[in-house]
Amino acid sequence: MALMRSWVESANSPETDFPLNNLPYGVFEAGGHARMGVAIGDRILDVGAVGHGLDPALFAEPAWNAVMAAGPEVWAALRARLTELLSDPAHRAAVELHLVAQDSARMLMPFRVSEYTDFYASRHHAQNVGTMFRGPENALPPNWLSIPIGYNGRASSVVVSGTPVTRPWGQLKGPEDTLPRFGSCARFDLELELGAIVGQPSEGMVSVAEADRMIFGYVLLNDWSARDIQAWEYLPLGPFQAKATATSISPWIVTAAALEPFRTPTPKRERPLLPYLREPGPMLYDIDLEVALAPEGGTETVIACTNYREMYYSAAQQLCHHTTSGCPMRVGDLLGSGTISGAAPDSRGSLLELSWGGKTPVVLASGEERRFLEDGDTLTLRGVARGEDYRIGFGACSGQVRPAVDLPDWAAG
Ligand code: MN
């Protein structure tokens, strides 16, 4: 597929994340109030103000939940109408009035997160982490090749890119400690993930094909993780406080419609899947992903590059499996893919893996070394699907690490 041209000139640049082919959905604040917007080149279309066939009822509340709830026919009609309005010069005079410079806007949460589930579905990540936590012979749990494993996270912890993240305190017990202690996390980490946004509700089981149609779009997702807290708490019910500090998402929802040309199949199965989990077609996407780290006041270094096609399970398979119990899914549910790691050492989506449990430091452009995150570090995720002469970009998902808060006396004990 080729670049679709817009009368917004900046949208036709091969470098922009936001050509007419993309049209991602966000919520922005400019001039004091929050509004729904569509990114086009270096502008944002104030979509609730345009009229011209765009139903204002969909844009009453600054969150994309109402559009999602309206269903796939409305999703397609909205995208078609936006494409018309931003490509046909006849609409330019009326629509141009409602463009806002991205530079002058502050991005807010694009939707209300109903519930949040995070998975563990990249083969290389599971192998790497399992090797470090349990040794190479027990690296992959026996269920891993059959079940997209996940845990129920906290919707309250999901924040938009740009929100600072405070280093957590927690209960931990390192290899040298004889007893557990309460301390600030010394192994604070990132996880490079893609978040799938459920746009339609379900009651009862849904098939992989139905699940695929329920997904409205995707965001970049950083599942901030406290490795020392995690190592002590995770058996037998999985991560708890180690993953509850914050989960950052990028501010633009890149729709499944925009990603359609980039579909790609999951890798070869190492064990046949049960019939309900088999995919009727390609359900991953070819999306290049990277992680960059900038020390406070310093320049950033790209520390990892990988691709979403590394996933062993697609979001559609994860969503299907999520409903097997009869668990109802809601509009605005967020599903984290799990950390996305490739085979190469520089394609690992967490510092835990990049530094191999802190053994081999990552060297930054400045010469500084990182085993885990330090206070003041800014972490930025980026993602892009590459067409022939255009790109579908996600924008950035950033967050700066703030020092742990002072410990209250009752906790210092
Ligand atoms: Mn995760």
Side-chain angles (χ1 to χ4, degrees), residues 66 74 93 114 223 254 296 310 329 360:
V74 170
S114 299
D223 174 22
V254 174
E296 189 152 30
E310 295 288 351
M329 301 304 292
T360 330

Side-chain angles (χ1 to χ4, degrees), residues 116-120 125 151 190-193 221-225 227 230 239 243 247 336-340:
Y116 167 52
T117 307
D118 194 30
F119 287 86
Y120 185 61
H125 175 69
Y151 64 91
L190 72 130
E191 288 191 343
L192 165 63
E193 304 191 21
L221 185 149
N222 181 355
D223 174 22
W224 301 91
S225 298
R227 301 302 181 192
Q230 184 180 356
K243 303 284 196 167
T247 300
S337 61
T339 309
I340 306 167

